[in-house]
Amino acid sequence: MSDQAFTELIPLTPSRKRLREGDVFLLQPIPGTFYCGQIIRLKVESRDSFVNGMSLIYIYDRRVPDRGVPAYLDAAPLLIPPVVINRLPWSRGYFETVGNLPVTERERRLSFGFWDTVRKRFVDAGGNPLAKEPLYWTDYGLASYAVVGMLVQRALAAREFLTEKKEP
């Protein structure tokens, strides 16, 4: 996919800095509108070679007016289900790290997982079976920044649609 065809996220500042667990980053789906994300687990361990060593991230339903670091994130709901991603969103500038916050126990215990389309079951980030359907889930595998952008745009469009339906 050519970056010229990708319009779901607006580029910020590209970076090749080393990523760390707890890094807080911003993404910009709409001009001047920033949402926060966080690296929850760095170097996911998985039997799946595409997922192994990648990062588990959350994108929070938390808008920020500028490029500052929010005081906390863990109380905010998620905008999209957690995804496993590589470094490309940072190196291409679609994610911009703005600080680091400790990953909380609440964030570690969040009910999330992935649907393994091959095995027809819910799994954790490492591909291990889950006992029940999690609160937040998406398909299992390595997501791209294009997938993140698409999921964010869908979530924002659904919110807009629901807001329009409520207005008289």
Side-chain angles (χ1 to χ4, degrees):
M1 171 182 60
S2 160
D3 275 350
Q4 287 137 356
F6 178 68
T7 59
E8 284 78 12
L9 296 175
I10 299 166
L12 298 165
T13 306
S15 173
R16 295 198 185 278
K17 282 186 354 187
R18 188 177 69 102
L19 300 175
R20 299 180 311 156
E21 184 174 292
D23 277 354
V24 175
F25 58 90
L26 300 179
L27 58 145
Q28 185 177 203
I30 302 165
T33 302
F34 302 97
Y35 281 84
C36 294
Q38 187 174 26
I39 297 176
I40 301 302
R41 189 177 322 147
L42 197 61
K43 297 183 181 175
V44 169
E45 292 182 20
S46 173
R47 292 183 298 268
D48 183 326
S49 62
F50 289 107
V51 173
N52 192 53
M54 299 301 152
S55 299
L56 173 70
I57 64 167
Y58 292 174
I59 305 293
Y60 293 93
D61 193 359
R62 173 104 188 261
R63 287 174 51 177
V64 293
D66 55 35
R67 290 179 163 171
V69 181
Y72 62 91
L73 284 173
D74 75 338
L78 299 184
L79 181 63
I80 64 171
V83 294
V84 176
I85 197 150
N86 60 22
R87 293 188 45 79
L88 276 179
W90 286 272
S91 62
R92 299 262 171 99
Y94 294 110
F95 293 175
E96 182 179 315
T97 300
V98 293
N100 190 285
L101 294 171
V103 177
T104 66
E105 277 307 307
R106 181 183 178 279
E107 289 167 321
R108 290 186 197 285
R109 290 182 288 131
L110 185 70
S111 173
F112 78 90
F114 303 90
W115 178 250
D116 185 328
T117 57
V118 174
R119 293 177 181 81
K120 306 289 187 227
R121 64 183 179 197
F122 288 103
V123 297
D124 65 14
N128 303 306
L130 295 175
K132 63 180 185 169
E133 180 177 334
L135 177 63
Y136 295 102
W137 63 273
T138 190
D139 290 339
Y140 185 63
L142 181 64
S144 66
Y145 60 84
V147 168
V148 172
M150 177 196 64
L151 291 171
V152 166
Q153 290 294 342
R154 280 186 189 167
L156 296 176
R159 175 182 297 150
E160 185 74 21
F161 177 77
L162 292 174
T163 302
E164 288 175 3
K165 290 290 229 180
K166 289 180 183 177
E167 293 176 2

